[in-house]
């Protein structure tokens, strides 16, 4: 049957088509690249892949540059792109021109309706042009298209690193290969492979077979977080290692993707797994066992025993042929000196070498291994503790405890890589929502990583040249599977990629988020278990001008509105709409949720307020808080918000080896009948309860009367001290808590200074 021409239907169809085409091209235009390229000019042409599209490759271009692109294209389209020469077809042209594209690893990608051209400065440039092209491929209605335009691009830093710990959890070869593909896609060019640690030795060393049969295995693994007490274990033997053949294959796989693998063979600390097999290499001779929980262990390689150096040199003799990397990482972090202090061999070494303390012994250890590696034509990289007792002459410093190590190294004209834990540790939590999967601790949301700037103002232009790049670290204590690891690492790894590659002037968090949202289909296509919670609510608690607590909420989700309740019920579109910071007038739970186009986005946000007489009042501390437990605003000790048990919400104030003393001024004399404070106790995190806690009251701020004293804090976790006192009129409240001091023998990290963690001083 031939249907009648229907002008109305025709018009509707045309309108629909215009809408669909308009929609497609709008989407195409919105598509972007992560990391953001140096320069992007779009135009209105569109390249369409057709059955005869082929890739033309100039002489000299390695076919391996195409491996990942071709694989991805096939997964998207179901067909291969032929490589070769076919007349009268649409074409992707790859070439190298080191003059036309002057920057190493740079490329120019030009897209017209007729062809796509990628000109690289070098092989890596061609490869990176293809990675950008992958992100521009747009599939709709069975057709694959690319928006026309010209992209000129090159990296900001020569060193763009991602680390992965395979000791705490072991990732099999296929997971490592997938990982390498993803690094390459986002133009990360260095894979720092943390192969040995206390909980498992993961690389085959033929001369030492017990490394395979003993050190690669642990009897069982801790369940839950290390801070829990007592520790619980799963009772399951766990382990594995990469054979040398597998390592070779992985290195080849990475090299084809322009990734250098830097192996880390950790010394002198984090050596328990090796000592379990070869106890004569430890100061006490053992016996030792591969660690079954996370942390720092006192048993390290003996620095006085010649056999230690013979062992490590023999190990390196097998490692070096597997890794062409100029750099070899020798660890150097977190090496307790406890055993060295009482070891006759270590002490003899110190006398023989005229070393004044154990820090100089560590420096001797690293310096000696550096000489060995230099004699084999390699350079060392170490964590910033290799600065202790003096830096080995050609060492590169990986600055993790903060930026200070990198700054000191750069000022001494040593190369440095910035990887400060506060900003780029991906084992930290990415969200403060309580339902977040278990992580190491800390809090590095996507925005914090993104806004990290690796060249600090502490360096002049000449010194800044020694900062070779930036790296994010993936410690795997709480990443037991590739899926869990992907949830922790994505999308934060993409933020790292952008800090490492993108010119400082082109960085823009809002633009990054926009591109990240368009990246979601690609992440899905690549089967990555990425977290997608980055648009959820974040908050800020501050004081209003009239000294009341106020809660600011925000979400980066475009077009979203926040609704909230203060009566404990779940927010709906009928709840109060958030327009400006909420003034907190009563204790209780604030719940809030993001809605976009009338749909709930993500999880429901909650914050509990506990209003009391000290909230918003003046507080003065005798000793300043320290390190990560100092958010800079001591008024948080009297803001009605209690610090959480993950101690990552900025509410806890920490004192390392020193006492806490605070005076709260209520502004006028008031009736006081209850006093309180929260104390955090996690001995497995070096957080100790005070020896003595006292509350005192005063009318004049000069003469104080003690009204309460407590010396026992039984709970592992938050100890809520709540003291009912004889009612008294007082204007000033003084709280004193004496630090435990040095962690006692037999406890975790004995001999170190204890942390005292305090939050919210409560007055009723
Ligand atoms: C480190 O995070 N211990 C280098
Ligand atoms: Zn020793």
């Amino acid at each position: 049957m031939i249907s009648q021409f229907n002008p109305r239907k025709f018009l509707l169809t045309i309108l629909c088509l215009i809408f669909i085409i308009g929609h497609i091209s709008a989407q195409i235009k919105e598509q972007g690249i992560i990391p953001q390229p140096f320069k992007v000019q779009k135009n209105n042409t569109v390249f369409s892949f057709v059955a005869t599209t082929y890739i033309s490759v100039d002489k000299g271009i390695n076919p391996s540059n195409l491996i990942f692109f071709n694989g991805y294209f096939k997964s998207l389209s179901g067909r291969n792109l032929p490589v070769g020469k076919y007349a009268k077809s649409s074409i992707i042209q790859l070439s190298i021109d080191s003059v036309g594209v002057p920057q190493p690893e740079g490329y120019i990608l030009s897209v017209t309706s007729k062809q796509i051209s990628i000109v690289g400065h070098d092989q890596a440039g061609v490869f990176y042009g293809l990675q950008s092209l992958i992100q521009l491929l747009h599939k709709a209605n069975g057709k694959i298209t690319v928006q026309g335009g010209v992209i000129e691009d090159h990296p900001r830093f020569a060193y763009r690193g991602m680390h992965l710990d395979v000791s705490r959890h072991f990732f099999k070869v296929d997971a490592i290969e997938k990982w390498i593909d993803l690094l390459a896609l986002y133009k990360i060019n260095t894979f720092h492979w943390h192969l040995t640690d206390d909980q498992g030795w993961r690389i085959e060393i033929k001369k030492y077979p017990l490394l395979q049969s003993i050190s690669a295995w642990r009897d069982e693994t801790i369940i839950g977080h290390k801070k829990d007490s007592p520790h619980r274990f799963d009772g399951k033997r766990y382990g594995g290692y990469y054979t040398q053949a597998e390592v070779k294959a992985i290195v080849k796989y990475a090299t084809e993707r322009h990734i250098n693998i830097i192996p880390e063979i950790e010394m002198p600390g984090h050596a328990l797994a090796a000592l379990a097999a070869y106890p004569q290499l430890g100061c006490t001779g053992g016996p030792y066992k591969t660690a079954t929980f996370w942390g720092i262990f006192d048993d390290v390689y003996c620095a006085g025993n010649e056999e230690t150096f013979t062992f490590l040199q023999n190990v390196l003799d097998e490692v070096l042929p597997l890794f062409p990397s100029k750099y070899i990482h020798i660890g150097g972090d977190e090496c307790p000196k406890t055993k060295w202090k009482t070891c006759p061999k270590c002490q003899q070494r110190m006398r023989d070498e005229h070393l004044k303390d154990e820090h100089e012994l560590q420096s001797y250890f690293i310096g000696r291994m550096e000489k060995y590696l230099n004699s084999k034509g390699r350079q060392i990289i170490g964590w910033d503790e290799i600065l202790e007792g003096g830096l080995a002459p050609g060492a590169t410093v990986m600055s993790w405890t903060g930026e200070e190590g990198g700054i000191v190294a750069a000022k001494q004209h040593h190369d440095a890589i910035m990887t400060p834990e506060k900003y780029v540790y991906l084992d930290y939590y990415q969200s403060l929502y309580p339902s977040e999967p278990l992580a190491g601790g800390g809090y590095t949301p996507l925005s914090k990583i993104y806004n990290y700037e690796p060249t600090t103002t502490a360096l002049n232009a000449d010194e800044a040249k020694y900062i070779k790049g930036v790296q994010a670290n993936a410690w795997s204590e709480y990443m037991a599977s590739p899926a869990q690891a992907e949830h922790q690492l994505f999308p934060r790894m993409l933020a790292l990629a952008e800090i490492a590659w993108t010119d400082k002037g082109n960085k823009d968090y809002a633009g990054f988020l926009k591109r990240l949202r368009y990246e979601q289909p690609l992440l899905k296509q690549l089967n990555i278990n990425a977290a997608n919670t980055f648009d959820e609510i974040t908050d800020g608690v501050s004081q209003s001008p009239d000294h009341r607590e106020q809660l600011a909420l925000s979400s980066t989700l475009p077009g979203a509105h926040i609704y909230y309740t203060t009566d404990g019920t779940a927010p709906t579109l009928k709840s109060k709409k958030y327009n400006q910071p909420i003034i907190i007038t009563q204790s209780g739970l604030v719940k809030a949720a993001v809605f976009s186009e009338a749909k709930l986005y993500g999880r429901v946000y909650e914050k509990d307020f506990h209003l009391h007489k000290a909230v918003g009042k003046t507080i003065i501390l005798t000793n300043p808080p320290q390190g990560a437990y100092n958010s800079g605003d001591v008024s948080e000790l009297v803001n009605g918000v209690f610090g959480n048990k993950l101690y990552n919400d900025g509410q806890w104030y920490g004192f390392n080896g020193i006492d806490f003393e605070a005076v709260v001024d209520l502004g006028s004399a008031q009736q006081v009948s209850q006093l309180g404070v929260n104390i955090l106790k996690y001995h497995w995190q070096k957080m100790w309860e005070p020896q003595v806690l006292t509350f005192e009251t005063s009318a004049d701020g000069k003469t104080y009367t003690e009204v309460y004293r407590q010396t026992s804090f039984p709970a592992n976790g938050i100890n809520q001290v709540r003291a009912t006192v004889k009612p008294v009129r007082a204007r000033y409240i003084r709280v004193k808590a004496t630090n435990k001091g040095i962690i006692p023998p037999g406890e975790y990290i004995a001999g170190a200074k204890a942390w005292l963690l305090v939050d919210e001083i409560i007055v009723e």
Side-chain angles (χ1 to χ4, degrees), residues 487-499:
H487 175 86
Q488 278 294 112
L489 306 180
F490 294 87
R492 291 186 294 176
M493 198 187 92
L494 277 56
L496 182 275
E498 192 143 318
I499 336 176

Side-chain angles (χ1 to χ4, degrees), residues 663-677:
V663 172
V664 179
D665 178 356
L666 298 174
S668 61
Q670 304 204 24
Q671 172 96 346
V672 172
S673 58
Q674 257 207 15
L675 294 167
V677 70

Side-chain angles (χ1 to χ4, degrees), residues 14-24:
I14 293 292
L15 282 173
C16 273
L17 273 176
I18 288 171
F19 174 78
I20 289 168
I21 290 166
H23 196 69
I24 290 171

Side-chain angles (χ1 to χ4, degrees), residues 270 333-334 383 385 400 421 425 473 475:
H270 288 292
D333 63 316
E334 298 179 326
W383 301 108
E385 291 97 323
W400 76 276
E421 62 173 337
Y425 265 40
N473 295 339
W475 299 102

Side-chain angles (χ1 to χ4, degrees), residues 422-423 448 541-543 619-621 623-639 649-655 755 758-759:
K422 188 171 159 190
Y423 296 99
K448 189 167 178 181
V541 176
S542 61
Q543 275 192 20
I619 179 165
I620 292 172
L621 301 191
N623 295 319
Q626 292 158 299
Y629 310 109
N630 175 16
S631 70
D633 174 9
V634 292
S635 74
E636 284 172 357
L637 283 165
V638 284
N639 68 352
D649 53 2
Q651 296 295 323
W652 291 99
Y653 280 77
F655 302 86
W755 280 94
V758 181
D759 180 37

Side-chain angles (χ1 to χ4, degrees), residues 689-701:
E689 67 280 22
Q691 300 188 58
V692 183
L693 170 88
T694 57
F695 292 123
E696 296 163 292
T697 60
S698 168
D700 59 5

Side-chain angles (χ1 to χ4, degrees), residues 445-470:
L446 189 63
S447 57
K448 189 167 178 181
I449 295 188
Y450 190 86
N451 291 315
Y452 174 60
E453 171 47 47
T455 56
T456 86
T457 50
L459 297 173
N460 65 34
D462 193 41
E463 292 160 347
K465 288 191 194 122
Y466 291 94
I467 306 295
K468 294 298 172 196
V470 60

